[in-house]
């Protein structure tokens, strides 16, 4: 039985673990914190825009588990707010225990509070992951899903200091790049001004600290927009946030609040004294990050160079996924990128479908360019894909249409995985644009 070791227990790692387990592997997740899902514990947005098609096609491909959980945990469905259509908002306070129970039921081994600090490499092949206590976890295939946030020193250097976010680096230790430890130089994203990294795009407010009227609106509608005074509107701040495809003027002109269990404030940070000037927010308090009045976590500082099948360059048995594999945005993207590419890889050979060049903004498909687009500014592959897919009528939010146009190809063994940096493209329209590569 193949041994698959996944470093990082966020949405990416969990989806990889489920898929590898279903394909017959013995699976171990190494997670440095005491909870799974990482930033998924403060996310909450699913099925918006083309990601609805992503979710439905993943379900049709057999990767239903995590989407069913977020659907079950959704507080609101089919809501619109700036830049987002027909979104679902899952309860960030409930989803992690649901995912953990699923992994236990599937007999997936979880090593929580186990920080990976180094790797053992022989002949460009990883033999084991070294934990902080010295234990070595051996495997056949390794999947790095450690994300691109932190460690705390990077937030100090490129941000406004440690914001005391959900990643809790001071308590559980900093994230370590496995690819970098194995001798592969990571790529780093830049903002327009040349500064490295980007701020996480939202904060969470304690709902009990908000007025009764705002809480009632959130509970009923899922979203509240509070106009920003004209003298306080600053569109330049949009350049610093992770979610550039949603860096719309509406987010400079309004405070956008979403009901994800907490009140999700769609801004990287907002000075507390100014926040409390809004009617209904006079007693507002940050829930995550605790220092949301001055900063947030810094992301996109550790991206592995990889090929179109997600294999890290120069290494024979290391794959990557999630933000470690590129500038992905949104929690649908992460399970989707994971769910597709991991079978049991080299031990149970599977064909991998590469990204269709036709739907990217860059041709031919160059991984380093797709990851960063240019060295001068962060541009997101997802936003260009969503735009092109929408223009080509490949984005659907109607389940019967998705099912009627979705096809399985009998030419692939076992099942079909279509890799996408943001979602599975509708197979009927895009199958001919995929190139097949067999990992050996």
């Amino acid at each position: 039985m193949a041994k698959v070791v996944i470093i990082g227990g966020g949405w990416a790692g969990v989806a990889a673990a489920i898929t590898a387990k279903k394909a017959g592997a013995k699976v171990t997740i190494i997670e440095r914190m005491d909870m799974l899902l990482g930033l998924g514990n403060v996310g909450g947005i699913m099925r918006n825009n083309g990601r609805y098609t992503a979710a439905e096609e993943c379900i049709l491909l057999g990767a239903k588990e995590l989407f069913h959980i977020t659907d079950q945990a959704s507080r609101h469905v089919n809501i619109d707010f700036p830049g987002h259509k027909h979104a679902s908002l899952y309860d960030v306070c409930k989803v992690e225990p649901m995912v953990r129970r699923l992994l236990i039921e599937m007999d997936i081994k979880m090593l929580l509070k186990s920080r990976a600090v180094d790797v053992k490499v022989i002949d460009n092949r990883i033999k084991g992951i070294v934990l902080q206590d010295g234990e070595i976890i051996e495997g056949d295939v390794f999947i790095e899903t450690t994300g691109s946030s932190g460690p705390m020193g990077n937030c100090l250097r490129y941000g406004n200091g440690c914001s005391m976010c959900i990643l809790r680096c001071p308590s559980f230790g900093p994230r370590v790049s496995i690819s970098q430890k194995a001798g592969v130089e990571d790529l780093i994203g830049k903002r327009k001004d040349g500064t490295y990294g980007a701020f996480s795009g939202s904060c969470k407010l304690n709902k009990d600290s908000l007025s009764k009227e705002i809480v009632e609106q959130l509970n009923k509608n899922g979203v509240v927009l509070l106009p920003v005074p004209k003298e306080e509107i600053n569109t330049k701040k949009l350049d610093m946030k992770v979610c550039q495809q949603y860096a719309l003027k509406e987010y400079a002109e309004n405070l956008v609040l979403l009901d994800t269990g907490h009140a999700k404030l769609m801004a990287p940070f907002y000075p507390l004294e100014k926040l409390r000037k809004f009617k209904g927010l006079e007693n507002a308090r940050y829930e995550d990050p605790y220092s949301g009045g001055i900063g947030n976590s810094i992301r996109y500082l550790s991206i592995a160079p990889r090929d179109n099948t997600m294999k890290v360059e120069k290494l024979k048995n290391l794959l990557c996924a999630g933000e470690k594999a590129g500038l992905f945005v949104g929690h649908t993207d992460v399970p989707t990128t994971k769910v597709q590419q991991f079978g049991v890889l080299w031990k149970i050979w599977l064909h991998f479908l590469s990204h269709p060049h036709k739907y990217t903004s860059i041709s031919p498909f160059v991984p380093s360019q797709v990851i960063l687009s240019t060295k001068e500014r962060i541009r997101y592959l997802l936003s260009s894909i969503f735009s092109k897919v929408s223009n080509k009528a490949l984005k659907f939010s109607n389940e019967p249409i998705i099912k009627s146009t979705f096809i399985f190809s009998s030419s692939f063994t076992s099942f079909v995985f279509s890799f996408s940096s943001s979602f599975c493209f509708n197979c009927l329209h895009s199958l001919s644009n995929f190139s097949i590569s067999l990992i050996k």
Side-chain angles (χ1 to χ4, degrees):
M1 180 182 290
K3 295 180 180 178
V4 176
V5 178
I6 297 159
I7 309 95
W11 277 122
V14 167
I18 292 170
T19 304
K21 183 68 177 181
K22 289 167 68 176
K26 181 178 181 180
V27 182
T28 299
I29 296 178
I30 299 172
E31 168 55 49
R32 66 181 181 86
M33 296 192 293
D34 57 357
M35 291 197 305
L36 299 170
L37 300 190
L39 292 173
N41 286 297
V42 291
I45 303 174
M46 292 289 287
R47 291 182 173 271
N48 56 308
N49 303 341
R51 297 185 179 104
Y52 189 99
T53 312
E56 288 302 313
E57 291 190 345
C58 276
I59 291 169
L60 288 168
L61 282 166
K64 62 183 182 298
E65 291 84 1
L66 295 180
F67 297 103
H68 284 179
I69 284 178
T70 53
D71 286 347
Q72 291 167 15
S74 290
R75 298 176 62 87
H76 304 275
V77 298
N78 198 32
I79 67 168
D80 296 344
F81 53 97
H84 299 251
K85 296 294 184 181
H86 52 74
S88 296
L89 302 179
Y90 70 78
D91 194 323
V92 298
C93 301
K94 296 180 179 180
V95 72
E96 192 271 346
M98 297 169 70
V99 171
R100 191 185 298 206
R101 286 192 288 269
L102 172 64
L103 298 193
I104 292 172
E105 291 172 3
M106 296 185 69
D107 194 27
I108 293 173
K109 185 176 182 179
M110 292 174 280
L111 299 179
L112 301 178
K113 295 186 288 186
S114 299
R115 189 167 73 97
V117 297
D118 208 346
V119 296
K120 296 291 184 182
V121 181
I122 300 176
D123 188 27
N124 294 327
R125 184 180 293 275
I126 294 179
K127 295 296 183 180
I129 303 296
V130 182
L131 303 184
Q132 189 170 16
D133 62 4
E135 183 181 0
I136 298 176
I137 307 300
E138 297 182 341
D140 300 308
V141 177
F142 297 84
I143 304 170
E144 183 175 8
T145 60
T146 56
S148 67
S149 302
M152 188 171 67
N154 282 337
C155 291
L156 292 168
R157 184 174 181 180
Y158 303 118
N160 294 339
C162 175
S163 60
M164 293 183 279
C165 74
I166 192 69
L167 299 180
R168 299 170 289 166
C169 298
S171 299
F172 295 100
R175 173 194 56 78
V176 171
S177 171
I178 299 303
S179 54
Q180 190 92 27
K181 285 289 185 179
V184 179
E185 185 177 356
D186 284 343
L187 302 172
I188 302 175
K190 286 185 179 181
R191 305 175 211 168
K192 285 183 178 180
D193 62 3
T195 306
Y196 287 115
F199 280 96
S200 290
S202 67
C203 303
K204 265 52 64 183
L205 302 176
N206 186 304
K207 282 178 72 174
D208 289 338
S209 69
L210 310 182
S211 70
K212 179 180 178 182
E213 291 75 19
I214 287 182
V215 172
E216 288 178 349
Q217 288 183 58
L218 284 172
N219 289 340
K220 179 180 179 181
N221 303 319
V223 58
V224 170
L225 270 64
L226 301 175
V228 173
K230 289 185 178 181
E231 64 273 14
E232 295 293 338
I233 295 174
N234 178 15
T235 57
K236 291 183 178 179
K237 69 180 182 180
L238 299 175
D239 293 337
M240 71 175 66
K241 66 182 298 187
V242 161
C243 305
Q244 282 295 291
Q245 75 264 47
Y246 303 130
L248 309 174
K249 66 176 184 177
E250 289 89 344
Y251 289 95
E253 297 171 348
N254 300 277
L255 287 186
V256 180
L257 300 177
L258 306 177
D259 178 24
T260 60
H262 301 306
K264 183 180 179 76
L265 170 61
M266 298 293 282
F269 55 89
Y270 206 93
L272 185 61
E273 63 274 13
K274 292 184 178 181
L275 187 69
R276 288 180 171 175
K277 291 180 180 179
F278 286 84
K279 184 178 180 181
L281 306 185
E282 293 86 356
N283 301 313
R285 195 191 78 182
Y286 283 100
E287 193 76 19
D288 178 86
Y290 278 126
S291 298
I294 62 171
N296 211 321
S297 58
I298 298 293
R299 291 156 64 181
Y300 300 165
L301 295 172
S302 179
I303 301 161
R306 44 79 180 172
D307 64 20
N308 295 355
T309 64
M310 311 302 284
K311 189 178 77 68
V312 176
E313 292 181 359
K314 301 179 182 179
L315 296 170
K316 296 177 180 178
N317 64 336
L318 178 65
L319 283 86
C320 62
E323 281 190 4
K324 184 68 184 183
L327 306 182
F328 304 132
V329 179
H331 299 287
T332 303
D333 310 339
V334 174
T336 303
T337 58
K338 289 336 156 258
V339 163
Q340 283 111 257
Q341 65 253 39
F342 306 121
V344 190
L345 310 177
W346 292 270
K347 293 294 179 177
I348 299 177
W349 61 274
L350 293 173
H351 288 80
F352 286 76
L353 292 176
S354 298
H355 205 291
H357 304 178
K358 185 175 180 180
Y359 300 109
T360 67
S361 59
I362 300 163
S363 182
F365 186 80
V366 181
S368 61
Q369 289 183 327
V370 169
I371 290 171
L372 297 180
S373 187
T374 69
K375 298 294 182 181
E376 288 73 35
R377 66 185 289 251
I378 288 179
R379 178 184 174 89
Y380 299 94
L381 176 62
L382 300 193
S383 56
S384 63
I385 289 174
F386 286 150
S387 174
K388 292 185 182 243
V389 169
S390 296
N391 291 340
K392 294 179 182 295
L394 301 187
K395 184 185 77 174
F396 302 112
S397 59
N398 182 288
E399 290 182 33
I401 293 178
I402 295 171
K403 291 178 181 179
S404 66
T405 56
F406 185 90
I407 63 171
F408 287 93
S409 172
S410 59
S411 62
F412 297 103
T413 60
S414 300
F415 40 83
V416 176
F417 286 124
S418 59
F419 161 68
S420 160
S421 294
S422 62
F423 54 87
C424 302
F425 292 90
N426 184 280
C427 290
L428 178 64
H429 297 278
S430 62
L431 194 56
S432 61
N433 297 301
F434 284 105
S435 60
I436 305 168
S437 59
L438 174 62
I439 301 295
K440 297 181 179 178

